[in-house]
Amino acid sequence: MKQFDIVIVGAGASGISAGLAAAQKGAKVALLEKGDKFGGAGMFGAQGLFAAESQVQKAAGVNYSVKDAYQEIINYTHHSSNARMTKAIVEKSASTIAWMKENGLDTELVTNTQEVHQDHPRTYHQFIDKFNGFKRIVNNFEKAGGVLMTQTTGKKIIQENGKVTGLEVIKDGQQEVIPTKTVILADGGFAGDKEEVNKYLPFDVQDLYSMGERKATGDGLRMLKEAGGVNNYKRIFENHAASVVTGDKNPWNNGSIMTIATLPLFWIDQEGKRFTNEDVVYDFALWGDTTYNAGGHYYILLDQNLVDYLTKNELNWTGSFERTGALLAHKPMAYKVGPMPNLPEELNRLTNGPVWKADTLEDLSKQINVSQDTLVNTVTDYNELVKKGEDTEFYKDSKFMKFPLEKGPFYAIKANSTTLGTVGGGLVNENFEALTKDKKVIPGVYAVGNDASGMFDSSYPTIEGLSNAFAWNSGRIAGEHAADFVRK
């Protein structure tokens, strides 16, 4: 097998970024991909990334500095982030946008994708011609001498006398060793390993709807531990919104039900109690966190009056995903939903999971296994708040205090905790070099993207595009550092 200076495990955003950066500095790089397609969640899931002080931001008059971004992130995590790493990511972000464009993946600065973030300085750089752009990036990696190996799985980092000498892989069903001086672990965390997920989840794994990369089964984190590193440092779920899981191949075919889930209606937890200000639905990260902390799922309650209203009328509210979709389609905002003529059919078709229907609240409480008295009292209290037009319990905006629950049949729609993947596990420094438990550098071993810990504390960040920016910038930093390392 040919010798490489650097072998990268995983060809998602962080791995591609690391590979291109290292190859352009003259290193001989192999980029491994377990599946038959490169891109990972960074291509198939993400639509853009964060930057501070990019040229397009400056041209648009966006006043949001590296200092502003750094302080916002550090304060959001209550100073539990690695300060040097956070500064390095933010400081690199603008040049990475320009570097990506130079290599074929262009972006456009758009309004922030969530309605609640419109007063925040614009940070979101949306991909232009995303899939072809990724192809051009990989083509430039190969033009710089890099080698892409698909259907190749990393298995074990081989070390001799404290130095990396190779990587054991499985390629086309055969075990091989690729000689190398450096390994960069970039295979996306462990969202695809249900057994491992269950170790870190505070509720039943069946209640977690994962939108993460299925191929990310923790191989890199396992190899990291075997190489002397730490693989369980701040393992975090990227909580993102909530999902009505229908069991259909494409649950979005149930468009009315999905729209219902994006509105600040009336929610109850597994005790039958209201548990949050429902207009948290407009911030995907905070919505995800409140669902996660509610125990993995909650119920949206409707009565027949509300179903009838939504079936026939427009509602002058904004669906929480409306701006995201409008930006991608380059369409104007409607600031309204409905009418939903298919809502009754969808509700009836999905009855007995994830929708339950009953003529009385008492019967509904049995179906969703909550206390009858608690549910009745919760609905009674909420109806009183609606009549007053003021949410004195959790302070939801009064314009959303419009619909009491009074007329049967009543409906409960289950919304599940949703994750975009896992973040963290690997203990690294600001260069993304792997560290031992006592924070000594393991020569020649790096972890990036969702394999790396240090920047995030407990959840998906509210600053738009930051998670994907972490992938691209951590990969680029590690790739450049690793190229310098192998030349020493």
Side-chain angles (χ1 to χ4, degrees):
M1 176 68 77
K2 178 181 176 182
Q3 173 144 358
F4 292 91
D5 296 322
I6 301 167
V7 176
I8 301 167
V9 180
S14 61
I16 291 170
S17 181
L20 180 61
Q24 288 182 337
K25 292 197 77 171
K28 297 176 182 177
V29 184
L31 178 60
L32 313 187
E33 168 54 45
K34 181 189 287 188
D36 59 0
K37 296 182 181 68
F38 61 78
M43 182 174 78
F44 292 104
Q47 303 298 338
L49 70 165
F50 156 95
E53 296 188 31
S54 70
Q55 288 302 313
V56 288
Q57 284 171 310
K58 291 177 180 177
V62 174
N63 184 21
Y64 188 67
S65 67
V66 167
K67 178 182 177 182
D68 293 332
Y70 167 81
Q71 290 181 330
E72 184 173 357
I73 295 165
I74 287 291
N75 289 335
Y76 181 77
T77 66
H78 302 286
H79 286 254
S80 65
S81 299
N82 179 321
R84 289 187 178 278
M85 177 187 292
T86 302
K87 179 70 179 300
I89 292 290
V90 174
E91 205 164 39
K92 196 81 166 176
S93 63
S95 68
T96 293
I97 294 293
W99 175 72
M100 291 167 69
K101 180 177 181 178
E102 290 167 6
N103 285 282
L105 181 51
D106 201 0
T107 59
E108 58 184 338
L109 181 66
V110 295
T111 66
N112 293 328
T113 67
Q114 299 172 48
E115 195 63 19
V116 74
H117 295 164
Q118 294 312 295
D119 290 335
H120 188 282
R122 288 187 286 164
T123 68
Y124 201 75
H125 295 65
Q126 183 172 272
F127 293 131
I128 299 172
D129 193 21
K130 177 175 70 170
F131 294 106
N132 286 323
F134 266 81
K135 288 178 183 177
R136 290 187 287 268
I137 288 269
V138 172
N139 286 342
N140 279 323
F141 163 70
E142 293 177 327
K143 286 178 184 177
V147 177
L148 174 65
M149 300 181 183
T150 57
Q151 296 183 312
T152 305
T153 303
K155 298 297 291 183
K156 182 182 177 69
I157 298 171
I158 300 171
Q159 297 161 296
E160 295 179 12
N161 300 318
K163 294 182 179 180
V164 173
T165 60
L167 181 72
E168 184 182 304
V169 303
I170 301 295
K171 182 171 175 58
D172 300 325
Q174 301 295 315
Q175 182 174 306
E176 300 179 29
V177 173
I178 302 176
T180 186
K181 303 173 184 176
T182 307
V183 173
I184 300 177
L185 302 170
D187 62 339
F190 61 97
D193 184 344
K194 278 198 171 183
E195 185 175 328
E196 195 70 7
V197 165
N198 202 35
K199 292 179 184 177
Y200 294 90
L201 205 62
F203 49 80
D204 192 327
V205 70
Q206 299 302 318
D207 272 343
L208 183 70
Y209 181 65
S210 177
M211 298 172 68
E213 173 59 68
R214 292 186 181 92
K215 300 190 302 294
T217 53
D219 298 335
L221 293 173
R222 175 186 50 76
M223 287 187 278
L224 177 63
K225 183 176 182 180
E226 291 171 353
V230 178
N231 75 345
N232 60 354
Y233 183 77
K234 286 190 179 180
R235 290 192 168 194
I236 298 166
F237 293 95
E238 286 188 283
N239 303 323
H240 183 271
S243 301
V244 178
V245 183
T246 65
D248 295 342
K249 185 174 182 180
N250 181 8
W252 289 99
N253 287 335
N254 306 292
S256 300
I257 296 270
M258 296 304 170
T259 299
I260 291 290
T262 70
L263 300 174
L265 292 169
F266 176 19
W267 303 347
I268 60 166
D269 63 15
Q270 296 165 54
E271 293 183 85
K273 298 176 182 178
R274 191 165 173 240
F275 62 97
T276 191
N277 168 353
E278 294 91 347
D279 62 33
V280 73
V281 74
Y282 291 114
D283 188 306
F284 303 159
L286 301 183
W287 178 16
D289 284 349
T290 199
T291 307
Y292 184 89
N293 289 311
H297 71 264
Y298 62 85
Y299 299 97
I300 306 161
L301 298 186
L302 315 174
D303 74 345
Q304 193 59 47
N305 283 337
L306 179 52
V307 171
D308 291 342
Y309 181 89
L310 294 174
T311 301
K312 299 174 183 177
N313 298 280
E314 286 183 352
L315 181 60
N316 293 323
W317 295 1
T318 303
S320 61
F321 290 124
E322 182 185 348
R323 183 169 288 277
T324 305
L327 286 170
L328 285 172
H330 294 91
K331 291 182 178 179
M333 289 284 290
Y335 296 107
K336 61 187 178 184
V337 296
M340 307 178 194
N342 296 328
L343 180 57
E345 183 276 329
E346 290 180 20
L347 288 168
N348 288 324
R349 186 172 69 82
L350 297 170
T351 296
N352 297 319
V355 177
W356 288 265
K357 177 181 179 181
D359 289 332
T360 66
L361 290 173
E362 290 78 6
D363 285 344
L364 187 67
S365 70
K366 295 174 185 176
Q367 291 187 33
I368 61 175
N369 193 29
V370 302
S371 161
Q372 173 181 311
D373 289 344
T374 299
L375 179 60
V376 170
N377 290 337
T378 298
V379 172
T380 299
D381 291 346
Y382 185 76
N383 288 345
E384 286 297 317
L385 296 175
V386 172
K387 288 176 184 176
K388 289 194 302 182
E390 183 181 7
D391 180 10
T392 54
E393 185 173 30
F394 294 122
Y395 312 108
K396 180 162 66 175
D397 193 308
S398 293
K399 68 182 178 183
F400 301 126
M401 300 300 292
K402 184 173 181 178
F403 299 107
L405 268 74
E406 298 176 326
K407 179 184 177 183
F410 300 93
Y411 303 83
I413 303 172
K414 184 179 180 181
N416 285 82
S417 183
T418 301
T419 182
L420 296 181
T422 58
V423 176
L427 180 62
V428 295
N429 62 19
E430 68 272 20
N431 298 317
F432 295 91
E433 297 172 284
L435 303 177
T436 63
K437 187 176 181 180
D438 59 355
K439 297 204 172 180
K440 304 299 182 186
V441 169
I442 303 173
V445 180
Y446 295 76
V448 297
N450 286 358
D451 282 346
S453 295
M455 188 164 169
F456 304 133
D457 174 41
S458 60
S459 70
Y460 187 66
T462 59
I463 300 175
E464 295 193 10
L466 187 57
S467 181
N468 200 27
F470 181 72
W472 278 95
N473 287 287
S474 64
R476 189 176 172 211
I477 291 167
E480 292 173 346
H481 193 276
D484 292 336
F485 170 80
V486 298
R487 285 203 296 263
K488 291 179 181 178

